[in-house]
PDB file of all heavy atoms in Angstrom:
ATOM      1  N   LEU A  26      18.721  -8.064  11.601  1.00 96.00           N
ATOM      2  CA  LEU A  26      18.122  -6.886  10.918  1.00 96.00           C
ATOM      3  C   LEU A  26      18.111  -7.109   9.427  1.00 96.00           C
ATOM      4  O   LEU A  26      17.229  -6.669   8.716  1.00 96.00           O
ATOM      5  CB  LEU A  26      18.855  -5.604  11.319  1.00 96.00           C
ATOM      6  CG  LEU A  26      18.814  -5.250  12.793  1.00 96.00           C
ATOM      7  CD1 LEU A  26      19.637  -3.955  13.037  1.00 96.00           C
ATOM      8  CD2 LEU A  26      17.368  -4.947  13.195  1.00 96.00           C
ATOM      9  N   GLY A  27      19.130  -7.748   8.884  1.00 96.00           N
ATOM     10  CA  GLY A  27      19.191  -7.969   7.421  1.00 96.00           C
ATOM     11  C   GLY A  27      18.058  -8.893   6.955  1.00 96.00           C
ATOM     12  O   GLY A  27      17.433  -8.622   5.919  1.00 96.00           O
ATOM     13  N   LYS A  28      17.720  -9.908   7.764  1.00 97.00           N
ATOM     14  CA  LYS A  28      16.640 -10.766   7.396  1.00 97.00           C
ATOM     15  C   LYS A  28      15.304 -10.025   7.421  1.00 97.00           C
ATOM     16  O   LYS A  28      14.498 -10.213   6.492  1.00 97.00           O
ATOM     17  CB  LYS A  28      16.593 -11.971   8.373  1.00 97.00           C
ATOM     18  CG  LYS A  28      15.504 -13.008   8.056  1.00 97.00           C
ATOM     19  CD  LYS A  28      15.608 -14.230   8.957  1.00 97.00           C
ATOM     20  CE  LYS A  28      15.191 -13.974  10.334  1.00 97.00           C
ATOM     21  NZ  LYS A  28      15.069 -15.205  11.173  1.00 97.00           N
ATOM     22  N   LYS A  29      15.166  -9.145   8.356  1.00 97.00           N
ATOM     23  CA  LYS A  29      13.913  -8.340   8.417  1.00 97.00           C
ATOM     24  C   LYS A  29      13.833  -7.408   7.252  1.00 97.00           C
ATOM     25  O   LYS A  29      12.761  -7.184   6.668  1.00 97.00           O
ATOM     26  CB  LYS A  29      13.870  -7.546   9.733  1.00 97.00           C
ATOM     27  CG  LYS A  29      13.644  -8.436  10.973  1.00 97.00           C
ATOM     28  CD  LYS A  29      13.631  -7.614  12.260  1.00 97.00           C
ATOM     29  CE  LYS A  29      13.351  -8.522  13.472  1.00 97.00           C
ATOM     30  NZ  LYS A  29      13.349  -7.796  14.705  1.00 97.00           N
ATOM     31  N   LYS A  30      14.965  -6.832   6.893  1.00 97.00           N
ATOM     32  CA  LYS A  30      14.989  -5.903   5.713  1.00 97.00           C
ATOM     33  C   LYS A  30      14.659  -6.633   4.415  1.00 97.00           C
ATOM     34  O   LYS A  30      13.940  -6.117   3.577  1.00 97.00           O
ATOM     35  CB  LYS A  30      16.299  -5.225   5.638  1.00 97.00           C
ATOM     36  CG  LYS A  30      16.572  -4.165   6.716  1.00 97.00           C
ATOM     37  CD  LYS A  30      15.721  -3.004   6.603  1.00 97.00           C
ATOM     38  CE  LYS A  30      16.020  -1.893   7.613  1.00 97.00           C
ATOM     39  NZ  LYS A  30      15.206  -0.699   7.397  1.00 97.00           N
ATOM     40  N   LEU A  31      15.143  -7.851   4.284  1.00 98.00           N
ATOM     41  CA  LEU A  31      14.834  -8.618   3.086  1.00 98.00           C
ATOM     42  C   LEU A  31      13.345  -8.951   3.001  1.00 98.00           C
ATOM     43  O   LEU A  31      12.750  -8.856   1.949  1.00 98.00           O
ATOM     44  CB  LEU A  31      15.666  -9.925   3.099  1.00 98.00           C
ATOM     45  CG  LEU A  31      15.455 -10.815   1.883  1.00 98.00           C
ATOM     46  CD1 LEU A  31      15.857 -10.092   0.584  1.00 98.00           C
ATOM     47  CD2 LEU A  31      16.278 -12.104   2.003  1.00 98.00           C
ATOM     48  N   ALA A  32      12.773  -9.295   4.157  1.00 97.00           N
ATOM     49  CA  ALA A  32      11.320  -9.537   4.222  1.00 97.00           C
ATOM     50  C   ALA A  32      10.561  -8.287   3.789  1.00 97.00           C
ATOM     51  O   ALA A  32       9.541  -8.329   3.047  1.00 97.00           O
ATOM     52  CB  ALA A  32      10.917 -10.002   5.610  1.00 97.00           C
ATOM     53  N   GLN A  33      11.025  -7.118   4.241  1.00 97.00           N
ATOM     54  CA  GLN A  33      10.363  -5.857   3.866  1.00 97.00           C
ATOM     55  C   GLN A  33      10.440  -5.550   2.393  1.00 97.00           C
ATOM     56  O   GLN A  33       9.560  -5.029   1.793  1.00 97.00           O
ATOM     57  CB  GLN A  33      10.958  -4.732   4.679  1.00 97.00           C
ATOM     58  CG  GLN A  33      10.585  -4.736   6.173  1.00 97.00           C
ATOM     59  CD  GLN A  33      11.264  -3.594   6.924  1.00 97.00           C
ATOM     60  OE1 GLN A  33      11.864  -2.657   6.333  1.00 97.00           O
ATOM     61  NE2 GLN A  33      11.248  -3.675   8.255  1.00 97.00           N
ATOM     62  N   LEU A  34      11.548  -5.960   1.757  1.00 97.00           N
ATOM     63  CA  LEU A  34      11.694  -5.708   0.314  1.00 97.00           C
ATOM     64  C   LEU A  34      10.585  -6.412  -0.431  1.00 97.00           C
ATOM     65  O   LEU A  34      10.134  -5.888  -1.452  1.00 97.00           O
ATOM     66  CB  LEU A  34      13.033  -6.288  -0.145  1.00 97.00           C
ATOM     67  CG  LEU A  34      14.313  -5.423   0.108  1.00 97.00           C
ATOM     68  CD1 LEU A  34      15.521  -6.132  -0.442  1.00 97.00           C
ATOM     69  CD2 LEU A  34      14.173  -4.021  -0.426  1.00 97.00           C
ATOM     70  N   PHE A  35      10.115  -7.534   0.027  1.00 97.00           N
ATOM     71  CA  PHE A  35       9.099  -8.294  -0.659  1.00 97.00           C
ATOM     72  C   PHE A  35       7.674  -7.998  -0.190  1.00 97.00           C
ATOM     73  O   PHE A  35       6.722  -8.343  -0.866  1.00 97.00           O
ATOM     74  CB  PHE A  35       9.383  -9.826  -0.479  1.00 97.00           C
ATOM     75  CG  PHE A  35      10.592 -10.272  -1.262  1.00 97.00           C
ATOM     76  CD1 PHE A  35      11.768 -10.548  -0.597  1.00 97.00           C
ATOM     77  CD2 PHE A  35      10.527 -10.417  -2.657  1.00 97.00           C
ATOM     78  CE1 PHE A  35      12.870 -10.986  -1.371  1.00 97.00           C
ATOM     79  CE2 PHE A  35      11.564 -10.838  -3.375  1.00 97.00           C
ATOM     80  CZ  PHE A  35      12.813 -11.114  -2.731  1.00 97.00           C
ATOM     81  N   THR A  36       7.515  -7.428   0.951  1.00 96.00           N
ATOM     82  CA  THR A  36       6.136  -7.228   1.523  1.00 96.00           C
ATOM     83  C   THR A  36       5.706  -5.798   1.487  1.00 96.00           C
ATOM     84  O   THR A  36       4.529  -5.570   1.752  1.00 96.00           O
ATOM     85  CB  THR A  36       6.102  -7.777   2.966  1.00 96.00           C
ATOM     86  OG1 THR A  36       7.141  -7.137   3.746  1.00 96.00           O
ATOM     87  CG2 THR A  36       6.276  -9.258   3.000  1.00 96.00           C
ATOM     88  N   GLU A  37       6.583  -4.858   1.229  1.00 94.00           N
ATOM     89  CA  GLU A  37       6.167  -3.455   1.192  1.00 94.00           C
ATOM     90  C   GLU A  37       6.172  -2.902  -0.262  1.00 94.00           C
ATOM     91  O   GLU A  37       7.150  -3.141  -1.010  1.00 94.00           O
ATOM     92  CB  GLU A  37       7.125  -2.576   2.022  1.00 94.00           C
ATOM     93  CG  GLU A  37       7.038  -2.926   3.532  1.00 94.00           C
ATOM     94  CD  GLU A  37       7.971  -2.052   4.368  1.00 94.00           C
ATOM     95  OE1 GLU A  37       8.752  -1.323   3.812  1.00 94.00           O
ATOM     96  OE2 GLU A  37       7.829  -2.188   5.604  1.00 94.00           O
ATOM     97  N   THR A  38       5.166  -2.188  -0.607  1.00 93.00           N
ATOM     98  CA  THR A  38       5.058  -1.563  -1.896  1.00 93.00           C
ATOM     99  C   THR A  38       5.741  -0.243  -1.943  1.00 93.00           C
ATOM    100  O   THR A  38       5.443   0.600  -1.034  1.00 93.00           O
ATOM    101  CB  THR A  38       3.603  -1.419  -2.395  1.00 93.00           C
ATOM    102  OG1 THR A  38       2.949  -2.694  -2.328  1.00 93.00           O
ATOM    103  CG2 THR A  38       3.535  -0.862  -3.794  1.00 93.00           C
ATOM    104  N   VAL A  39       6.610   0.009  -2.918  1.00 94.00           N
ATOM    105  CA  VAL A  39       7.302   1.304  -2.988  1.00 94.00           C
ATOM    106  C   VAL A  39       6.984   1.901  -4.377  1.00 94.00           C
ATOM    107  O   VAL A  39       6.497   1.224  -5.290  1.00 94.00           O
ATOM    108  CB  VAL A  39       8.819   1.188  -2.789  1.00 94.00           C
ATOM    109  CG1 VAL A  39       9.075   0.786  -1.343  1.00 94.00           C
ATOM    110  CG2 VAL A  39       9.440   0.207  -3.772  1.00 94.00           C
ATOM    111  N   ASN A  40       7.299   3.211  -4.519  1.00 95.00           N
ATOM    112  CA  ASN A  40       7.002   3.918  -5.749  1.00 95.00           C
ATOM    113  C   ASN A  40       7.927   3.474  -6.904  1.00 95.00           C
ATOM    114  O   ASN A  40       9.004   2.878  -6.607  1.00 95.00           O
ATOM    115  CB  ASN A  40       7.011   5.410  -5.521  1.00 95.00           C
ATOM    116  CG  ASN A  40       8.410   5.898  -5.123  1.00 95.00           C
ATOM    117  OD1 ASN A  40       9.395   5.669  -5.812  1.00 95.00           O
ATOM    118  ND2 ASN A  40       8.512   6.517  -3.973  1.00 95.00           N
ATOM    119  N   PRO A  41       7.564   3.694  -8.105  1.00 96.00           N
ATOM    120  CA  PRO A  41       8.377   3.275  -9.254  1.00 96.00           C
ATOM    121  C   PRO A  41       9.818   3.762  -9.209  1.00 96.00           C
ATOM    122  O   PRO A  41      10.733   3.025  -9.601  1.00 96.00           O
ATOM    123  CB  PRO A  41       7.634   3.868 -10.434  1.00 96.00           C
ATOM    124  CG  PRO A  41       6.210   3.959 -10.034  1.00 96.00           C
ATOM    125  CD  PRO A  41       6.268   4.307  -8.582  1.00 96.00           C
ATOM    126  N   LYS A  42      10.086   4.985  -8.800  1.00 96.00           N
ATOM    127  CA  LYS A  42      11.396   5.478  -8.729  1.00 96.00           C
ATOM    128  C   LYS A  42      12.293   4.686  -7.780  1.00 96.00           C
ATOM    129  O   LYS A  42      13.485   4.472  -8.043  1.00 96.00           O
ATOM    130  CB  LYS A  42      11.407   6.997  -8.372  1.00 96.00           C
ATOM    131  CG  LYS A  42      10.847   7.896  -9.402  1.00 96.00           C
ATOM    132  CD  LYS A  42      10.868   9.349  -9.005  1.00 96.00           C
ATOM    133  CE  LYS A  42      10.299  10.259 -10.079  1.00 96.00           C
ATOM    134  NZ  LYS A  42      10.294  11.696  -9.655  1.00 96.00           N
ATOM    135  N   GLU A  43      11.691   4.308  -6.675  1.00 97.00           N
ATOM    136  CA  GLU A  43      12.461   3.511  -5.689  1.00 97.00           C
ATOM    137  C   GLU A  43      12.734   2.139  -6.209  1.00 97.00           C
ATOM    138  O   GLU A  43      13.824   1.546  -5.987  1.00 97.00           O
ATOM    139  CB  GLU A  43      11.665   3.405  -4.364  1.00 97.00           C
ATOM    140  CG  GLU A  43      12.442   2.734  -3.239  1.00 97.00           C
ATOM    141  CD  GLU A  43      13.749   3.416  -2.817  1.00 97.00           C
ATOM    142  OE1 GLU A  43      13.858   4.625  -3.079  1.00 97.00           O
ATOM    143  OE2 GLU A  43      14.613   2.760  -2.256  1.00 97.00           O
ATOM    144  N   VAL A  44      11.836   1.533  -6.941  1.00 97.00           N
ATOM    145  CA  VAL A  44      12.061   0.226  -7.588  1.00 97.00           C
ATOM    146  C   VAL A  44      13.201   0.364  -8.556  1.00 97.00           C
ATOM    147  O   VAL A  44      14.100  -0.535  -8.596  1.00 97.00           O
ATOM    148  CB  VAL A  44      10.770  -0.325  -8.262  1.00 97.00           C
ATOM    149  CG1 VAL A  44      11.135  -1.575  -9.089  1.00 97.00           C
ATOM    150  CG2 VAL A  44       9.686  -0.603  -7.274  1.00 97.00           C
ATOM    151  N   ILE A  45      13.286   1.383  -9.328  1.00 97.00           N
ATOM    152  CA  ILE A  45      14.369   1.563 -10.314  1.00 97.00           C
ATOM    153  C   ILE A  45      15.681   1.721  -9.557  1.00 97.00           C
ATOM    154  O   ILE A  45      16.719   1.124  -9.976  1.00 97.00           O
ATOM    155  CB  ILE A  45      14.103   2.770 -11.188  1.00 97.00           C
ATOM    156  CG1 ILE A  45      12.899   2.507 -12.118  1.00 97.00           C
ATOM    157  CG2 ILE A  45      15.307   3.150 -12.039  1.00 97.00           C
ATOM    158  CD1 ILE A  45      12.436   3.765 -12.898  1.00 97.00           C
ATOM    159  N   ARG A  46      15.662   2.455  -8.456  1.00 97.00           N
ATOM    160  CA  ARG A  46      16.890   2.572  -7.648  1.00 97.00           C
ATOM    161  C   ARG A  46      17.341   1.205  -7.104  1.00 97.00           C
ATOM    162  O   ARG A  46      18.527   0.944  -7.066  1.00 97.00           O
ATOM    163  CB  ARG A  46      16.608   3.558  -6.476  1.00 97.00           C
ATOM    164  CG  ARG A  46      16.839   5.023  -6.910  1.00 97.00           C
ATOM    165  CD  ARG A  46      16.221   6.023  -5.970  1.00 97.00           C
ATOM    166  NE  ARG A  46      16.346   5.722  -4.569  1.00 97.00           N
ATOM    167  CZ  ARG A  46      17.276   6.220  -3.732  1.00 97.00           C
ATOM    168  NH1 ARG A  46      18.232   6.994  -4.255  1.00 97.00           N
ATOM    169  NH2 ARG A  46      17.273   5.978  -2.452  1.00 97.00           N
ATOM    170  N   ARG A  47      16.363   0.441  -6.677  1.00 98.00           N
ATOM    171  CA  ARG A  47      16.749  -0.869  -6.166  1.00 98.00           C
ATOM    172  C   ARG A  47      17.337  -1.778  -7.308  1.00 98.00           C
ATOM    173  O   ARG A  47      18.266  -2.506  -7.073  1.00 98.00           O
ATOM    174  CB  ARG A  47      15.479  -1.585  -5.614  1.00 98.00           C
ATOM    175  CG  ARG A  47      14.982  -1.026  -4.246  1.00 98.00           C
ATOM    176  CD  ARG A  47      13.760  -1.746  -3.778  1.00 98.00           C
ATOM    177  NE  ARG A  47      13.298  -1.277  -2.514  1.00 98.00           N
ATOM    178  CZ  ARG A  47      12.221  -1.680  -1.824  1.00 98.00           C
ATOM    179  NH1 ARG A  47      11.439  -2.601  -2.397  1.00 98.00           N
ATOM    180  NH2 ARG A  47      11.922  -1.198  -0.692  1.00 98.00           N
ATOM    181  N   GLN A  48      16.700  -1.711  -8.454  1.00 98.00           N
ATOM    182  CA  GLN A  48      17.213  -2.478  -9.613  1.00 98.00           C
ATOM    183  C   GLN A  48      18.636  -2.144  -9.880  1.00 98.00           C
ATOM    184  O   GLN A  48      19.500  -3.056 -10.114  1.00 98.00           O
ATOM    185  CB  GLN A  48      16.353  -2.205 -10.851  1.00 98.00           C
ATOM    186  CG  GLN A  48      14.974  -2.817 -10.866  1.00 98.00           C
ATOM    187  CD  GLN A  48      14.197  -2.562 -12.121  1.00 98.00           C
ATOM    188  OE1 GLN A  48      14.471  -1.571 -12.811  1.00 98.00           O
ATOM    189  NE2 GLN A  48      13.224  -3.402 -12.438  1.00 98.00           N
ATOM    190  N   LYS A  49      18.987  -0.894  -9.928  1.00 98.00           N
ATOM    191  CA  LYS A  49      20.375  -0.451 -10.281  1.00 98.00           C
ATOM    192  C   LYS A  49      21.297  -0.885  -9.169  1.00 98.00           C
ATOM    193  O   LYS A  49      22.460  -1.303  -9.427  1.00 98.00           O
ATOM    194  CB  LYS A  49      20.395   1.042 -10.464  1.00 98.00           C
ATOM    195  CG  LYS A  49      19.685   1.526 -11.696  1.00 98.00           C
ATOM    196  CD  LYS A  49      19.756   3.034 -11.852  1.00 98.00           C
ATOM    197  CE  LYS A  49      19.052   3.531 -13.164  1.00 98.00           C
ATOM    198  NZ  LYS A  49      19.076   4.958 -13.305  1.00 98.00           N
ATOM    199  N   ALA A  50      20.839  -0.781  -7.888  1.00 98.00           N
ATOM    200  CA  ALA A  50      21.733  -1.292  -6.786  1.00 98.00           C
ATOM    201  C   ALA A  50      21.957  -2.798  -6.842  1.00 98.00           C
ATOM    202  O   ALA A  50      23.085  -3.270  -6.714  1.00 98.00           O
ATOM    203  CB  ALA A  50      21.047  -0.914  -5.440  1.00 98.00           C
TER     204      ALA A  50
END
């Protein structure tokens, strides 16, 4: 499931606020 989630991080577009949340994480 982790590998699939990593693939989703790169293939799915999310809104700017979510990108900022990811950056901080």
Side-chain angles (χ1 to χ4, degrees):
L26 295 178
K28 184 171 72 169
K29 291 180 178 179
K30 289 292 184 177
L31 181 61
Q33 288 178 12
L34 283 180
F35 288 105
T36 54
E37 294 181 353
T38 304
V39 294
N40 62 57
K42 290 181 180 179
E43 185 62 22
V44 172
I45 293 172
R46 275 162 41 95
R47 286 179 179 179
Q48 285 181 338
K49 291 180 178 178

